[in-house]
Amino acid sequence: MERSKAAIQGGLERRRSQSHLSRDGTLKKSNSCSTIYVDDSTVSQPNLKSTIKCVTLAIYYHVKNRTSSRVIDIFDERTHPLTRDPVPADYERHNPEHRHIYKFVRTLFSAAQLTAECAIITLVYLERLLTYAELDLTPVTWRRVVLGAILLASKVWDDQAVWNVDYCQILRDITVEDMNELERHFLEFLQFNINIPSSVYAKYYFDLRTLAEANELNFPCEPLTKEKATKLEAMSRMCEDKITSDGLQIGLKRSNSMDNVNVSRRSIAILS
């Protein structure tokens, strides 16, 4: 996400200056005695819509902030079009807008029922391809590069992978043979390095959240329901029990919390 760093820095500085200059701040959901708002997106279960917005924003900055226009034939829409419509002669001169990239990715994810985690994996593979193949995202290559990354990410990450022929039902003008060739070349350019450590996944997640903050794409806060509160409590108790168990195994003495301290109270004798 190197191409997004300048935008992140500029966006954060702009938000700081706006917060100092603006008198009437924007309305923000705040906790009250009756309602608690929590961020519904976590590193293990990201919010789908917000994650796709962030991923497509990173792709947008790759296209916008490129310093060269290195193209590989298999990813070039002029020789491998995704639609039957002819590619305009000046197609490569006009950078796509963020909303166009978001619409393309969102359509694929909705039709194939892909998860938010798959979107993050897609960005990891995309940026890995740009490095390994010495390729740039341009107006004529971004669609096929993104499509190849989604093809690979959905098969590696999701238990029930979507077949290439299923994508042909979404993009009706592309053939299965073209999809297979795109996937094969993508893997070869990656040198079949599809492993993603948990540390890399977590780094991308938090980098995307920083990018969202810089561009005012806030992750939604949802009211804490009784079911969610019960689940959080159960999860916290499980973690507490595990820490206690691990501590006892290595001979550490756990200090009692105030909830577990039993104080014997003595009744006050009244002498008459």
Side-chain angles (χ1 to χ4, degrees), residues 129-236:
L129 174 75
L130 299 184
T131 302
Y132 283 26
E134 297 182 350
L135 173 70
D136 292 302
L137 277 189
T138 69
V140 298
T141 61
W142 73 266
R143 288 178 189 268
R144 290 184 63 86
V145 170
V146 170
L147 176 59
I150 292 176
L151 282 174
L152 189 57
S154 63
K155 292 182 178 180
V156 172
W157 184 261
D158 286 350
D159 294 332
Q160 296 180 345
V162 182
W163 296 96
N164 290 356
V165 67
D166 297 323
Y167 284 101
C168 294
Q169 302 299 320
I170 306 171
L171 303 171
R172 297 184 179 277
D173 294 334
I174 191 171
T175 64
V176 180
E177 292 75 19
D178 188 14
M179 293 281 245
N180 294 338
E181 185 182 8
L182 176 64
E183 183 182 11
R184 179 172 59 83
H185 278 86
F186 203 107
L187 275 168
E188 289 176 353
F189 283 122
L190 288 184
Q191 301 173 19
F192 297 92
N193 179 15
I194 59 175
N195 179 50
I196 298 180
S198 57
S199 58
V200 173
Y201 174 87
K203 181 182 182 301
Y204 268 79
Y205 171 79
F206 289 110
D207 283 348
L208 286 171
R209 292 202 62 125
T210 305
L211 180 64
E213 181 183 359
N215 290 269
E216 300 182 359
L217 297 176
N218 296 324
F219 279 66
C221 290
E222 301 293 337
L224 180 63
T225 62
K226 183 178 179 181
E227 291 76 15
K228 288 183 180 179
T230 304
K231 185 176 180 180
L232 286 173
E233 183 179 6
M235 291 173 63
S236 64

Side-chain angles (χ1 to χ4, degrees), residues 15 24 30 36 48 66 90 110 174 195 220-221 254:
R15 291 196 66 183
D24 301 326
S30 301
I36 298 177
L48 177 60
R66 70 187 186 279
D90 61 344
S110 298
I174 191 171
N195 179 50
C221 290
R254 177 177 179 271

